[in-house]
Amino acid sequence: MGTGVAGPQDTPRRVRMTPGARRVLEAAERLFYEHGIHAVGVDLIAAEAGVTKKTLYDRFGSKEQIVVEYLAGRDERWRELLAGRLEGAGPGAADRVEAVFEASRVWSARYGAKGCSMINAFAEISDPDHPAYPVITGQKRWMLDLFTGLARETDAAGADRLARTLMLLHEGALVAHGMGVLPDPFGTALDQARELLGR
């Protein structure tokens, strides 16, 4: 999964990471995910990272750029984890569809106790002019493209409709996991996906 975070027209500007910038980003990632983007100010990020506000602004230029790095970094790690799962899946497209749901279960157990960081960020950032907006929407478009490619490989009638349904099952499982409203949302979604795939 070595593709960029979003399409070429949407690829956000990224910052070169110095040791100080990495500390800022690590602190910001933890704080943004736990408390929300709007609730966390640069003063708190700088304090948690053990840097001055001047260092923070010298490295990133703005809080918005820190948000871009936070979301883009999570997206890159997700794609790396998913790539490994897809490579280890069985030979069929249906096997790889199942691997996506299993990868999301693993990711969410490790990194997603509060649900999908992209969905959570979209609840706070709905302005298309925000520099992080293309990261958020690009990641979801990429997931839909992935499901579309896999659905078309199954030779199922209505492959595009199948892809959209798989996407909705996947995203619904992410939300339900974050909210804690179902005991095993990924298992439930995977069962439904298997039925759609005739497995």
Side-chain angles (χ1 to χ4, degrees):
M1 308 249 154
T3 61
V5 172
Q9 74 280 6
D10 294 328
T11 302
R13 180 179 71 82
R14 301 294 299 277
V15 169
R16 185 177 64 83
M17 287 291 141
T18 62
R22 288 191 191 285
R23 288 199 307 276
V24 169
L25 188 55
E26 287 168 7
E29 177 166 346
R30 184 178 67 256
L31 293 166
F32 287 156
Y33 190 73
E34 286 297 314
H35 304 290
I37 292 166
H38 291 329
V40 174
V42 293
D43 289 320
L44 180 57
I45 296 170
E48 289 281 318
V51 302
T52 65
K53 275 176 64 176
K54 181 180 184 307
T55 297
L56 182 149
Y57 282 116
D58 284 347
R59 299 293 181 269
F60 293 93
S62 66
K63 178 183 173 182
E64 287 76 14
Q65 188 62 39
I66 300 173
V67 175
V68 167
E69 299 297 334
Y70 153 60
L71 293 171
R74 281 183 70 96
D75 184 43
E76 287 167 355
R77 292 194 303 278
W78 156 244
R79 293 186 195 209
E80 287 170 11
L81 183 146
L82 180 56
R85 292 284 168 154
L86 290 172
E87 286 168 14
D95 297 316
R96 292 194 298 283
V97 169
E98 291 188 17
V100 175
F101 286 89
E102 292 293 353
S104 289
R105 186 200 310 258
V106 170
W107 172 272
S108 295
R110 286 185 198 164
Y111 309 114
K114 290 181 171 282
C116 174
S117 56
M118 300 297 166
I119 293 170
N120 296 348
F122 189 76
E124 298 191 75
I125 301 169
S126 57
D127 179 2
D129 291 330
H130 192 289
Y133 188 88
V135 181
I136 299 165
T137 57
Q139 201 258 9
K140 296 306 179 185
R141 282 196 306 270
W142 184 83
M143 287 299 299
L144 179 57
D145 288 346
L146 174 66
F147 280 124
T148 300
L150 292 172
R152 288 175 180 169
E153 285 180 40
T154 67
D155 293 327
D160 289 354
R161 183 175 182 211
L162 171 61
R164 290 191 294 268
T165 304
L166 291 170
M167 178 74 172
L168 290 171
L169 285 170
H170 181 261
E171 297 304 302
L174 288 172
V175 172
H177 170 79
M179 296 179 72
V181 295
L182 293 175
D184 182 14
F186 294 106
T188 301
L190 182 53
D191 287 344
Q192 292 297 309
R194 285 179 176 135
E195 283 189 30
L196 290 169
L197 294 164
R199 290 169 77 89

